[in-house]
Structure formats: C-alpha cells, structure tokens
Amino acid sequence: MSTLRTRTASGSDTHQRRAHVLPCGSLRSRSSATRPVRAGHRYRGLGHLAVQELVAESEAHIIAVDVDPAKLELARRLGARDAYLSDAGTAEAISTLVDGRQIDLVIDFVGAQATVDLAAALTAPGGSIITVGLASGTLAMTAGLGAAVAPDVDVRHVSVGGRDDLAGVLALARAGALTVEVEEISLAEASDAIERLDHGGANGRIVVTS
C-alpha cells in the first residue's frame, strides 16, 4: 500500500500517512456501518471513522459511548447526536433516552465484556449487534424468558471489508466526508503508545514515523 494516495474534494493530496490507515481502519468500520440503514435507526459504540460514514450515508441517530471524554467530544464534533461515558449507569441512561430497549443496531468497536453486555442490554427485538473489537468479550445466548439478548436479534462479527467497501471509503475521502484522526509518533515513543492504547488513551489512529 506504499503507493496509495487519495485526493480531497479540493484536489490536494491527502497526507500519505493518513491515506495508509484508510484500508485498515475505515474498511472495518465501513463493513459494519453499511449494514442496512433506515431513517430513525439509532447507533452506539462507533469509532470516529464509522461516525463519519453513517453521517455521510444515512439519517441515523448516532449515540457514542466511550471511557474517554476526549473521544466523546470528537464523536460529537463528527456528528454523533448523543455521547455517554461508559460506566455502570450507561445502559439505564441510554434506555431512558430512547424509551427502553430500542437500539436497532449496536456496533461494538471494543468487544470487551462490559461493551458486549451493554449491547445485549440495549438492542431491540429484531435488531442487530455487530462486534468489530477483539477484546474477548462473551455474548451468552440463553433460551427462555429473561434472556440477556432480546428475541430475533442478529449477532455477527466483522473483521474486514471487501473491494466495494474500499471503493466506498476512498469515494468518501475524495469528497472530503471522511477524515482520519492521526497521531504521529517516533519509534522511541511506540512502547508508551501501546500502553496508552491498552488504556483507551489514543484518539484516532497512531502512526509510527521514521
């Protein structure tokens, strides 16, 4: 991918390092965010790329959840209508906002037990849960009344997108509708960056430069 370049709507070259992260980050978010979308759908748990993709291509009511206030502020700036810090009261707060278990689609970009449990608690009957994150959370499917997951919920894991997703990502980037938040660091800073990633402290993508 060393030759990949995109162009903004104004015709100027997009920064090479920002272009390089589009296939990785944007394909994973797009392959989840472009599941069937209808006006009035509500979403939560989105990465900053998926927020932009949904804003550009749907009328979704986007609800962002994160442990980092800076990421929530970024989500609002990019188009999320509501944003909540992830804590013990998040599920109740969002349920109050949407009048019960009424989230049509949850996209979980973390995949930890806490986020998987939150998805199960909020997704409406007949809705969808899409996990993108790889933090080893477990979604238990229990038969019978009182199950953690509502009836008829579609659950799937998305790893990466295909050629059509890549074409869509690049089209949004060229139109200026998709920007990648990139923090550039030196190789000497890589260990500290990994530590920040482990604690959710990175806002966007981190790129190591020579």
Side-chain angles (χ1 to χ4, degrees), residues 150-165:
D152 300 319
V153 169
D154 178 44
V155 180
R156 66 185 72 183
H157 175 72
V158 170
S159 178
V160 71
R163 290 174 63 104
D164 290 344
D165 293 312

Side-chain angles (χ1 to χ4, degrees), residues 66-145:
D66 206 285
V67 297
D68 185 352
K71 292 182 181 178
L72 295 178
E73 180 56 36
L74 174 62
R76 291 190 188 94
R77 178 163 59 82
L78 295 175
R81 191 181 305 182
D82 298 286
Y84 290 85
L85 276 174
S86 181
D87 57 30
T90 303
E92 181 178 357
I94 295 178
S95 294
T96 299
L97 174 72
V98 300
D99 299 322
R101 185 185 252 181
Q102 295 296 322
I103 302 295
D104 297 296
L105 172 63
V106 173
I107 308 176
D108 184 356
F109 278 82
V110 179
Q113 193 59 53
T115 59
V116 169
D117 289 344
L118 184 61
L122 292 174
T123 305
S128 297
I129 298 173
I130 298 176
T131 63
V132 182
L134 301 171
S136 301
T138 300
L139 183 60
M141 304 296 291
T142 305
L145 298 175

